[in-house]
Amino acid sequence: KELLDIIASRLAMDVERVKLVFDLTRDADRRQIADLYRHARVVAHVAAGDRVEIDADVPRRLLDRFTPAKVSA
């Protein structure tokens, strides 16, 4: 059990908090939102009209999937 706890804690550290913006009128963006909920930890989701802003802890190995939606800090 201790080994599993160590592995889980190290995997959890391998994430990056990102802010992403999506356009709900685009099929590709809606698919990315579903993918984000499937593979990341969403910490905030704000919708205004057809625009959605999501803050999420995304595994670093998957960051490239969401680069087009990433907002520069």
Side-chain angles (χ1 to χ4, degrees), residues 51-62:
R51 178 183 164 104
V52 173
E53 291 185 19
I54 296 176
D55 293 341
D57 294 332
V58 178
R60 290 186 191 279
R61 71 185 195 291
L62 301 178

Side-chain angles (χ1 to χ4, degrees), residues 34-63:
D35 204 29
L36 189 62
Y37 270 92
R38 188 175 299 113
H39 298 289
R41 182 176 159 268
V42 174
V43 294
H45 180 125
V46 178
D50 291 332
R51 178 183 164 104
V52 173
E53 291 185 19
I54 296 176
D55 293 341
D57 294 332
V58 178
R60 290 186 191 279
R61 71 185 195 291
L62 301 178
L63 282 173

Side-chain angles (χ1 to χ4, degrees):
K1 174 135 171 78
E2 185 176 300
L3 177 59
L4 291 176
D5 291 338
I6 292 169
I7 292 170
S9 70
R10 290 195 179 156
L11 289 175
M13 291 181 356
D14 193 27
V15 298
E16 182 176 327
R17 171 87 38 106
V18 294
K19 179 181 285 293
L20 306 161
V21 177
F22 299 98
D23 179 352
L24 291 178
T25 65
R26 298 183 59 223
D27 287 335
D29 281 13
R30 290 192 303 271
R31 284 192 300 271
Q32 274 203 316
I33 292 169
D35 204 29
L36 189 62
Y37 270 92
R38 188 175 299 113
H39 298 289
R41 182 176 159 268
V42 174
V43 294
H45 180 125
V46 178
D50 291 332
R51 178 183 164 104
V52 173
E53 291 185 19
I54 296 176
D55 293 341
D57 294 332
V58 178
R60 290 186 191 279
R61 71 185 195 291
L62 301 178
L63 282 173
D64 288 346
R65 291 186 190 185
F66 304 103
T67 300
K70 189 173 178 182
V71 176
S72 298

